Amino acid sequence: MSPREAEPPPDNPGDVLERIRERLPRLTAGESRIAQYIAEQPEQALLMSAVQIGETLGASDMTVLRTARALGYTGWPELRRALGSHLALTVHPATRLSTRLTVTRRESHASLLDIVFEEARERLATSRASLDAEEFTRAVRLVGDAATVHVFGVGVSSVSAEYLTVKLLREGVLARHAKSMGFAFADALLALRPGDLLVAFAPGREFSELDVAFAEAQRLGASTLLFTDKYRDAYVDRVDCVIRTASSAGGLTGENLPAMVAADALVLALGHVDPEGALASSRRLNKLRRALRRRPGSTKGDAGAAAGTEPRP
């Protein structure tokens, strides 16, 4: 294995285009053509597979793979995600959408299905590879030890926050969903107490709500858990535990996908920590659901029978 191939992948890829400029003189002729195409057409390259780039430039997908490794990445998928993280900060969302529609417009509906599902598969595989087992165990312990778990999500990530809140409640964990942003977020923070856990889902960019939330948690002695993008480090030095997941390279799959899968794994692990508590909560949930199946206007005795209890004499 050559020294270049043995180079470990970066923890934070930074500016992909700057990396291409720095390493371009050291690339082979074939690698140079591919790197220049990425630098000149980053939005288009972001939405293409290694095979598609190779076909566009008259090269093989293996040449694309070697180019990615020569630039310090493990392969084309990691280079794409790093490029996507960079463009998300530098290119207007409307421009990215226009490019996405232009690049994919010639594809059949069946091909679009393949493209989206392939990106989802890549994101989940990358997220699993980047999840540290010890950090995950720490996250499980933080949730299990918390008096109350307060869950917050920035923007679209509020969906992940609500999802985790419901899953925790079903496991018998006292959890609250902080839904608001802006001034209304202060009301949610009033419920935070020492011994609680604040869980935040955030892409990694800085938000005043996260600044205030993490500072308040530290002041009170509450623990903190952050779900964030693999390549973002804005808050990692201000929280007790970080779960990193891969963002979408081309914006083809939802922001919440890998974070919600990681949340599922977290809840499953909690069930193993306290199986009796999880089973008791499940029985109570099903009992309440049976009671809710009764016809509106039926008697209390009917409701009791539906819930699995006998009516009082």
Side-chain angles (χ1 to χ4, degrees):
M1 180 179 292
S2 68
R4 188 179 70 185
E5 291 175 330
E7 182 179 356
D11 292 329
N12 190 330
D15 188 336
V16 179
L17 304 185
E18 180 61 30
R19 181 174 295 212
I20 290 174
R21 285 191 289 271
E22 290 176 353
R23 303 195 181 195
L24 193 60
R26 304 200 297 272
L27 303 182
T28 66
E31 293 167 353
S32 179
R33 287 179 59 218
I34 292 168
Q36 286 179 323
Y37 179 81
I38 296 169
E40 293 168 1
Q41 307 287 343
E43 293 92 349
Q44 287 88 337
L46 181 63
L47 297 167
M48 301 168 70
S49 67
V51 172
Q52 289 173 321
I53 287 187
E55 290 176 347
T56 299
L57 299 178
S60 68
D61 58 331
M62 288 304 298
T63 304
V64 178
L65 173 61
R66 287 195 297 271
T67 304
R69 289 178 174 172
L71 294 172
Y73 301 97
T74 57
W76 175 242
E78 185 178 38
L79 194 161
R80 283 182 67 224
R81 283 186 294 274
L83 184 61
S85 295
H86 169 70
L87 294 178
L89 299 176
T90 58
V91 179
H92 193 279
T95 301
R96 297 202 306 272
L97 174 60
S98 177
T99 301
R100 187 158 62 242
L101 294 174
T102 299
V103 172
T104 60
R105 67 184 176 185
R106 295 185 182 88
E107 302 289 343
S108 67
H109 288 176
S111 295
L112 293 177
L113 276 171
D114 292 338
I115 290 170
V116 172
F117 273 78
E118 177 61 20
E119 182 181 277
R121 186 197 65 77
E122 283 185 1
R123 286 182 68 193
L124 291 175
T126 301
S127 297
R128 175 61 190 93
S130 66
L131 283 173
D132 181 82
E134 292 184 3
E135 196 78 345
F136 181 75
T137 298
R138 187 178 301 117
V140 175
R141 188 179 303 117
L142 287 174
V143 175
D145 292 345
T148 303
V149 180
H150 305 259
V151 193
F152 172 65
V154 174
V156 175
S157 293
S158 178
V159 174
S160 297
E162 183 175 12
Y163 179 74
L164 178 59
T165 302
V166 172
K167 297 279 283 190
L168 290 176
L169 287 169
R170 291 177 178 177
E171 286 292 310
V173 176
L174 182 58
R176 301 168 60 102
H177 178 208
K179 300 180 181 180
S180 303
M181 293 184 69
F183 283 164
F185 187 52
D187 294 295
L189 290 178
L190 285 176
L192 196 63
R193 298 286 187 273
D196 287 352
L197 171 66
L198 175 67
V199 180
F201 289 84
R205 296 187 297 278
E206 296 192 46
F207 290 86
S208 57
E209 287 86 356
L210 293 173
D211 291 330
V212 174
F214 293 146
E216 182 69 0
Q218 185 177 35
R219 186 185 72 82
L220 292 172
S223 301
T224 47
L225 167 61
L226 174 65
F227 287 76
T228 192
D229 183 358
K230 179 183 177 184
Y231 295 136
R232 304 295 171 80
D233 298 313
Y235 289 99
V236 295
D237 59 345
R238 291 183 246 177
V239 297
D240 296 306
C241 185
V242 180
I243 300 295
R244 294 181 180 275
T245 56
S247 61
S248 170
L252 299 175
T253 50
E255 175 182 306
N256 299 306
L257 173 64
M260 292 176 80
V261 173
D264 282 332
L266 178 66
V267 172
L268 179 62
L270 284 169
H272 283 267
V273 172
D274 182 17
E276 290 303 318
L279 288 171
S281 181
S282 178
R283 293 188 189 103
R284 182 184 176 196
L285 176 64
N286 288 324
K287 183 177 179 180
L288 290 168
R289 285 173 171 171
R290 287 195 298 271
L292 289 168
R293 291 195 189 107
R294 71 182 178 89
R295 295 186 304 276
S298 59
T299 66
K300 290 183 179 180
D302 292 337
T309 61
E310 296 295 326
R312 298 177 65 180

